[in-house]
């Protein structure tokens, strides 16, 4: 079985595409969360941060993490 370095894989994947200048949230997240009162949110695998930014702009306290430093940069 071949060892795959997840961070290297995702860094390469994100490096191959242009960074979004205005990351968008997932449509399903918006549908599910729009009516909730802001609270704490954990976004694992946040990628370019569209969900985390959208939540934070609405008063949520967000912790966003991704294995790819390229994605979060």
């Amino acid at each position: 079985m071949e060892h795959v370095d997840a961070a290297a894989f995702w860094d390469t994947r994100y490096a191959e595409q242009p960074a979004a200048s205005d990351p968008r949230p997932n449509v399903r997240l918006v549908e599910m969360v729009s009516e909730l009162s802001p609270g704490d949110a954990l976004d694992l695998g946040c990628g370019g941060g569209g969900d985390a930014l959208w939540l934070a702009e609405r008063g949520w306290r967000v912790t966003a993490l991704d294995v790819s430093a390229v994605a979060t940069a």
Side-chain angles (χ1 to χ4, degrees), residues 25-35 51 54 58:
N26 183 292
V27 174
R28 299 296 169 246
L29 172 78
V30 173
E31 289 175 359
M32 300 290 293
V33 176
S34 289
E35 301 301 318
D51 293 345
W54 183 87
R58 283 152 185 78

Side-chain angles (χ1 to χ4, degrees), residues 1-72:
M1 185 168 159
E2 181 181 341
H3 173 74
V4 177
D5 180 346
F9 172 83
W10 286 106
D11 281 347
T12 300
R13 180 111 183 250
Y14 280 104
E16 291 173 347
Q17 59 189 5
S21 60
D22 185 22
R24 303 289 179 182
N26 183 292
V27 174
R28 299 296 169 246
L29 172 78
V30 173
E31 289 175 359
M32 300 290 293
V33 176
S34 289
E35 301 301 318
L36 297 178
S37 297
D40 295 324
L42 175 60
D43 185 359
L44 295 175
C46 66
D51 293 345
L53 292 170
W54 183 87
L55 288 165
E57 289 167 355
R58 283 152 185 78
W60 290 76
R61 292 172 304 276
V62 183
T63 300
L65 303 168
D66 198 283
V67 68
S68 172
V70 173
T72 57

